[in-house]
Amino acid sequence: MATTAIPYSPMATFATNALNQTITNYDDIPLYLSIIYGIIATMSISGNGLIIMVILNNRTILENPTNMLIFSLAIVDCLTGIVMFFTPSLVIRIHIYPFPNGYPDGPIFCRLVDSFYIFFSLGNISVMLVMLISMERWTAIARATKYRKWFALRRVKICVGVVIILVGILNLDNLIGKVYDPKVFPPCQWKPIFPKTSQNLALFLVCEMGRLFIPVFIIILCYLDIARRTIFSSKVSGLSIEQSVKYTARRRVTIMCFVSSSVLVACWLPNEIYFVLMNFSAIPYSFVIHGVTKTLIIFNSCANPFIYAVTNRSYRRSILQFVAGKRGDYKAHLHRPSSIINISNNR
C-alpha cells in the first residue's frame, strides 16, 4: 500500500552526502521506535515460530481446516517479523540503511522492499487469512451440514493460494509507485503511476477496498451473526452431555478466533482510514499519527501467539508442554478430547 510515506509529494532538497546524492526531505523514525520495532519483530518470529513448531510436532492436526489456516497465518506473521529486519524505516533507520546502488539491484530493492510491497503484502495476506478463519467459524456454526464440503482441506489449501495471488495483485500500486533515483537520498522515491491525481486516487481506493476494507467487513459480519446465533440462543439448555461438550469446545475455538480477529481489525483499521482520508486531502499528514498507526499494524504480527495462549486452554497447555520438552505428554495430550485438533473438529 502506498501508505508508508506521502506518495507523490514534492521533493525538497537540502544538501549532498558522501556519494554526491542530493539529500531529500524524508521522515526517519526516532531511535526508540526502531528499538520497539526490533522487539516486536523478534517476538513475532519467536512466538509464531513456536506455534509453527507446536503444530508441526504433530502434523495430523493439519488435516483440520481451522488448524491449517492458523498454521498458514503463523507462517505469514513469522515472515513479517523477518521482513521487518531488512525494510528501511522499521528496525533499521533510513539514514544508516545500506541502500543498494546501481542497476538492477536498486530498482528491484525500491519496488519490492522500500515500497513496503513485501511487508504489506504479508500483512494483507494475514488479514485475508483471518477473513477465511471467520468464514470457517461461521460455517461451522451456521451451516454445520455444509461444513465438510465447503471447507474440505483441499479447498482450504486452494483458498490460501488464491489469497496469496490476489494480494500480490492488489498491492501492485506499491510495486509500481516506488522508483529508483541514484542521484538522491534516499534513492527510493514515490512517483505518480498515472498522470492525473484522480486516476491515482481511484487506483488507491480500489486496492484498499480489496485488500482490507472488504475483508474486514466480512469478518465483522461473520462474528455478528455468530454472536446472534450463540449468545442469544436458547438451545444450549436442552443439549445432551456429549452435545454440551462439543458446544463448549466449538465455543472456545470460536472465541479464540474472534479475539484474534478483533485485535487485527483494531490494529489495521486506524492506519487504513487515516491514509484514505489523507490521500483524499480530508486531513493533513501527521508524522505522529503515521507512527502510531503503523506501530499498531506492526504489533499485530506478534499478537496471535499470546491470544491463543490466553484465550484457549488447550493451545496454552500444548505450548507449555512443548516448551518444557515433555514430548511424550505433549503428544498424548493432542489426542485427548480437549486437544487442539479435537477442539476444531467438534463443531
Side-chain angles (χ1 to χ4, degrees), residues 8 169-170 172-174 176 193-194 197-209 211:
Y8 325 137
I169 295 172
L170 289 173
L172 283 178
D173 58 333
N174 268 22
I176 301 172
I193 299 174
F194 299 111
T197 301
S198 59
Q199 294 173 324
N200 289 305
L201 290 176
L203 175 63
F204 169 72
L205 187 59
V206 168
C207 291
E208 283 293 274
M209 291 293 292
R211 62 197 172 200

Side-chain angles (χ1 to χ4, degrees), residues 17-170:
N17 59 14
L19 297 176
N20 202 31
Q21 295 173 313
T22 301
I23 301 176
T24 64
N25 184 20
Y26 63 91
D27 285 332
D28 205 353
I29 62 171
L31 178 60
Y32 71 86
L33 265 186
S34 178
I35 295 173
I36 291 174
Y37 291 164
I39 294 172
I40 293 175
T42 302
M43 292 170 60
S44 178
I45 296 170
S46 57
N48 288 290
L50 178 60
I51 296 297
I52 292 169
M53 289 188 291
V54 167
I55 293 177
L56 286 180
N57 196 60
N58 191 324
R59 300 194 180 193
T60 57
I61 66 176
L62 287 175
E63 296 173 3
N64 178 269
T66 310
N67 292 322
M68 173 59 71
L69 290 171
I70 289 174
F71 178 71
S72 301
L73 182 60
I75 291 176
V76 172
D77 286 344
C78 184
L79 290 174
T80 300
I82 295 172
V83 168
M84 286 173 61
F85 279 102
F86 60 82
T87 300
S89 78
L90 290 180
V91 178
I92 304 177
R93 303 164 75 190
I94 293 177
H95 74 280
I96 60 173
Y97 195 93
F99 289 93
N101 297 316
Y103 297 86
D105 295 350
I108 292 175
F109 176 85
C110 288
R111 294 188 184 278
L112 290 176
V113 182
D114 191 80
S115 68
F116 277 56
Y117 175 80
I118 296 178
F119 176 82
F120 273 109
S121 290
L122 289 171
N124 294 143
I125 291 172
S126 293
V127 172
M128 290 202 177
L129 287 176
V130 171
M131 177 192 71
L132 288 177
I133 292 173
S134 303
M135 295 169 66
E136 183 269 342
R137 286 292 86 203
W138 178 85
T139 304
I141 293 172
R143 298 290 184 273
T145 57
K146 303 286 186 181
Y147 181 87
R148 294 188 183 277
K149 179 180 179 181
W150 290 1
F151 281 90
L153 190 60
R154 181 173 175 273
R155 291 190 176 185
V156 170
K157 292 178 180 179
I158 292 174
C159 286
V160 172
V162 170
V163 160
I164 294 172
I165 296 172
L166 180 61
V167 168
I169 295 172
L170 289 173

Side-chain angles (χ1 to χ4, degrees), residues 227-239:
R228 180 183 68 84
R229 293 172 181 272
T230 56
I231 297 177
F232 307 106
S233 176
S234 60
K235 298 180 180 180
V236 181
S237 58
L239 297 178

